[in-house]
Amino acid sequence: RRLGLPTRARLMDLETEVIAPLLDFWYEAYTRSEGAGRRLAKLIDLLMEGASAELWSRCMTNVGLLFTRAGVNAQLERMIHGARKVAEEGHASLQAMANLTESWMLLWQGRFAELEAAIQRTEEDLRWMGEPASLQARLISVKLTYQVMRDDKEAVRASHWALSAQVARLDRSSELPAVMLGFSLRALVAVDDWQTVRAQLPLLEGGAQGSTLIVPVVVLPHTVRITGAAVNSEASRDYDTAARVSGAGTLRLMFREV
């Protein structure tokens, strides 16, 4: 970050200028610092100075799964609103990306009725766009996570095969196919469908990205048992009981209390 200071001091175009707050946001978010929301706010301020729909879309792709960081939720709502205003000028792919980002946010907030409506809107957008594979894959990943939360094993298996079909349409030179397939396999692990996982693991072989995804999947059973035991022990503590009495739901207990 210090090496970038002389570069940041120079006059830059908007596309170059957004790189610094985006990298700062990643750093703050992944180190769980308190400044992630502030960095994201700076990025959004720059985008609102007249960024293209393409630049909005690229930035949204790179910030969408960090909702749990301090101050990030409110800024993501600003980002979704700003992206939708730009998308009104006829940018369907940006509209779909805004809907996808909103879907992830609704999912982690436990607002499931609104989530289902957002998923339906996104599906309609993608059908109108000709169902582009990259956006279809991202939408299915949202649905997979929701289905895992509901412990719907049959729906998870069906979504896995739907995602596999979209992965086959993606550019194999990018990291997205391996990332999406690894995500899908972890969802299958979560619902204890090890038969499908074992059958699909060979698809991740070859390349550094695939290798790094195989290891977490293979060691998941051990990790899941340890995590499950730890959560069960915490769930019987007094602070958890107090939260239940005060009306806390399952998601709040999991992500805020336990």
Side-chain angles (χ1 to χ4, degrees):
R1 299 174 76 195
R2 288 192 297 272
L3 289 173
L5 292 177
T7 303
R8 298 182 201 194
R10 301 172 187 167
L11 184 63
M12 297 179 285
D13 60 29
L14 185 57
E15 186 160 346
T16 307
E17 195 172 356
V18 301
I19 293 174
L22 179 58
L23 293 175
D24 285 339
F25 169 70
W26 284 346
Y27 176 83
E28 300 279 357
Y30 283 107
T31 58
R32 298 189 177 272
S33 302
E34 296 296 321
R38 186 175 67 254
R39 301 295 187 183
L40 184 55
K42 173 62 176 174
L43 172 63
I44 297 168
D45 290 343
L46 288 171
L47 291 173
M48 287 182 172
E49 291 179 10
S52 66
E54 182 185 359
L55 185 56
W56 272 93
S57 185
R58 291 207 308 266
C59 289
M60 292 190 79
T61 302
N62 287 295
V63 304
L65 292 178
L66 296 163
F67 303 104
T68 58
R69 308 308 191 259
V72 167
N73 259 325
Q75 296 305 322
L76 278 173
E77 289 181 0
R78 280 185 66 212
M79 195 173 204
I80 292 166
H81 179 71
R84 283 178 171 154
K85 289 188 67 175
V86 175
E88 289 173 357
E89 301 170 9
H91 302 288
S93 61
L94 179 58
Q95 177 68 43
M97 184 60 71
N99 285 341
L100 280 170
T101 304
E102 181 185 47
S103 297
W104 278 114
M105 187 169 64
L106 294 171
L107 175 68
W108 292 116
Q109 290 175 348
R111 295 157 61 184
F112 296 138
E114 295 170 76
L115 167 65
E116 291 173 359
I119 288 174
Q120 184 174 358
R121 286 196 302 271
T122 308
E123 287 175 333
E124 292 169 358
D125 288 344
L126 297 185
R127 278 195 294 271
W128 184 82
M129 293 169 61
E131 301 185 339
S134 61
L135 292 175
Q136 278 284 94
R138 289 183 170 94
L139 174 61
I140 295 171
S141 69
V142 177
K143 295 166 72 173
L144 264 173
T145 307
Y146 181 39
Q147 291 157 358
V148 167
M149 286 182 170
R150 292 163 49 199
D151 198 27
D152 189 341
K153 185 173 182 178
E154 292 304 317
V156 169
R157 185 182 291 113
S159 291
H160 162 74
W161 293 117
L163 184 54
S164 296
Q166 298 303 324
V167 165
R169 298 171 55 205
L170 294 171
D171 178 7
R172 304 299 296 185
S173 65
S174 74
E175 293 182 352
L176 189 57
V179 169
M180 286 296 170
L181 187 54
F183 184 94
S184 183
L185 292 180
R186 287 193 290 270
L188 289 169
V189 169
V191 296
D192 206 28
D193 186 357
W194 285 100
Q195 182 177 355
T196 307
V197 171
R198 284 191 290 269
Q200 295 289 292
L201 272 179
L203 297 178
L204 288 175
E205 293 178 356
Q209 184 69 33
S211 299
T212 59
L213 289 168
I214 286 175
V215 174
V217 171
V218 171
V219 302
L220 267 174
H222 179 66
T223 306
V224 166
R225 284 194 293 271
I226 294 174
T227 304
V231 169
N232 288 335
S233 67
E234 290 295 321
S236 60
R237 294 185 181 273
D238 290 344
Y239 71 84
D240 187 81
T241 303
R244 288 178 188 275
V245 171
S246 68
T250 304
L251 284 175
R252 179 183 167 185
L253 290 170
M254 186 66 212
F255 293 107
R256 292 290 181 86
E257 307 297 336
V258 176

